[in-house]
Amino acid sequence: MCLIIYSPDGHIPAHHLRRALVANPDGWGVMVHDGDKVVVEKGLTPDEFWAKWEQRPAGPVVFHSRIGTHGHNDVHTCHPFKVPNHGMHMAHTG
């Protein structure tokens, strides 16, 4: 099953993230509120993740790692998703 981690201060220990990326290898997404807007990054590989993670803005963060059960394993199936016409984003675990 997919995994979601939320941190109100933006800190998630690296060992938790490493384990999540190994256990859920079909993509990842990060959502951060930088004080003005929601910033979303998505990718498929741990290398892509760590490059984006190091560059993310400060702020509350939601991390999602995916195990593909439906659809293709590509960036378009990685969470979080923008909810059209509602000004919010969402992620789920099954």
Side-chain angles (χ1 to χ4, degrees):
M1 182 172 293
C2 297
L3 174 71
I4 297 173
I5 302 172
Y6 166 69
S7 174
D9 67 3
H11 175 73
I12 302 171
H15 68 278
H16 292 314
L17 295 167
R18 276 192 296 278
R19 290 182 73 186
L21 291 166
V22 168
N24 301 282
D26 296 327
W28 56 268
V30 174
M31 175 171 50
V32 179
H33 192 278
D34 71 358
D36 294 319
K37 64 187 176 308
V38 175
V39 177
V40 175
E41 296 287 351
K42 300 178 185 185
L44 297 175
T45 69
D47 288 341
E48 290 174 306
F49 169 77
W50 291 112
K52 296 291 185 176
W53 184 252
E54 296 300 323
Q55 300 299 316
R56 77 189 185 287
V61 64
V62 173
F63 165 83
H64 182 277
S65 59
R66 180 174 187 270
I67 291 180
T69 55
H70 297 320
H72 299 284
N73 291 336
D74 60 29
V75 158
H76 301 292
T77 56
C78 293
H79 306 201
F81 300 111
K82 185 172 185 176
V83 179
N85 304 317
H86 291 282
M88 65 178 140
H89 292 75
M90 59 83 65
H92 64 85
T93 60

